[in-house]
Amino acid sequence: MQGDLERVLFDEAAILRRLDQIAAQISADYRDQELTVIAVLNGSLMFMADLLRRIPLPLKLDCLGVASYHGRTESTGEVILKQVAPDVKDRHILILDDILDSGNSLAAVREKLEMAQPLSVRVCVLLEKKKSRARPVKADYVGFQIADEFVVGYGLDYMEQYRNLPCIGVLRKDLIAS
Ligand code: IMP
Ligand code: MG
């Protein structure tokens, strides 16, 4: 699997070091609040597991499945929520996602949750691509900013592969279907 990478951007140790920092920041920000974390599946699975174990606060956890990619590396703009949004009324919501790319999926999730009258909504992403977005979404917590390249590993997939790579790297261009 590692051989399918053009280069490694962040190894496991670098990811976990950064998670220590973000977790400390989130723990301080939500110290006296009723926090509900909503993780967007499947890409945020590893990120969610490692981040939440570093946050020593009482919190609720819900997961939300969305589909926006269909074996492509570009967003189609169409986002489907795979189930009814969890109950977020009167809760402080922190949305976790793997990557902020076009912004389509996070904008759709955020919009859906805001309709259910939460007290607040913030967004935390592991990766943020430096590019102009189809929909304006601001992430409150960002693990790493990256260039506009297609990356895999640590939860991120290409056609459902590579999620179990422990590092994050740029996928070789010759492996991406044109
Ligand atoms: P959006 O384009 O911001 O809506 O991102 C939607 C989803 O596409 C993300 O949550 C990822 O699952 C996936 N995605 C976007 N960019 C990449 C990438 O570089 N590698 C793997 N998945 C990606
Ligand atoms: Mg994907």
Side-chain angles (χ1 to χ4, degrees):
M1 267 196 307
Q2 192 110 9
D4 290 358
L5 298 180
E6 192 176 290
R7 62 186 194 282
V8 172
L9 293 181
F10 310 106
D11 65 16
E12 199 174 1
I15 296 169
L16 296 180
R17 272 198 306 274
R18 182 67 185 124
L19 294 198
D20 283 339
Q21 297 172 338
I22 304 175
Q25 203 185 334
I26 291 171
S27 303
D29 291 352
Y30 287 94
R31 209 174 33 243
D32 303 314
Q33 292 174 351
E34 297 263 315
L35 177 60
T36 297
V37 173
I38 310 252
V40 182
L41 299 178
N42 295 330
S44 70
L45 269 175
M46 315 290 170
F47 176 44
M48 170 192 75
D50 285 336
L51 181 73
L52 294 189
R53 281 179 293 178
R54 290 171 162 73
I55 300 179
L57 296 177
L59 57 81
K60 285 190 191 173
L61 171 63
D62 261 302
C63 296
L64 203 56
V66 300
S68 63
Y69 268 58
H70 305 279
R72 307 168 43 163
T73 61
E74 291 292 320
S75 173
T76 55
E78 197 188 315
V79 177
I80 309 148
L81 263 65
K82 291 186 184 166
Q83 68 266 83
V84 181
D87 181 23
V88 298
K89 192 168 175 352
D90 299 331
R91 304 277 311 180
H92 292 286
I93 304 304
L94 180 64
I95 304 171
L96 294 189
D97 206 353
D98 53 357
I99 187 165
L100 180 52
D101 182 23
S102 71
N104 284 323
S105 67
L106 271 171
V109 168
R110 193 182 178 128
E111 230 166 62
K112 255 288 191 295
L113 295 178
E114 274 173 350
M115 276 160 44
Q117 299 174 304
L119 286 177
S120 69
V121 178
R122 283 190 190 153
V123 172
C124 174
V125 291
L126 177 62
L127 303 172
E128 179 181 56
K129 281 191 192 172
K130 284 187 248 170
K131 66 189 281 189
S132 61
R133 300 190 208 294
R135 298 181 66 178
V137 182
K138 194 184 138 291
D140 302 277
Y141 306 95
V142 176
F144 304 100
Q145 287 201 323
I146 62 168
D148 188 10
E149 294 181 293
F150 197 79
V151 295
V152 294
Y154 196 70
L156 290 127
D157 75 301
Y158 175 61
M159 295 175 78
E160 296 305 325
Q161 296 294 308
Y162 307 107
R163 291 197 198 275
N164 55 328
L165 258 180
C167 63
I168 296 170
V170 178
L171 187 62
R172 273 171 33 205
K173 307 273 183 301
D174 60 294
L175 295 173
I176 297 176
S178 48

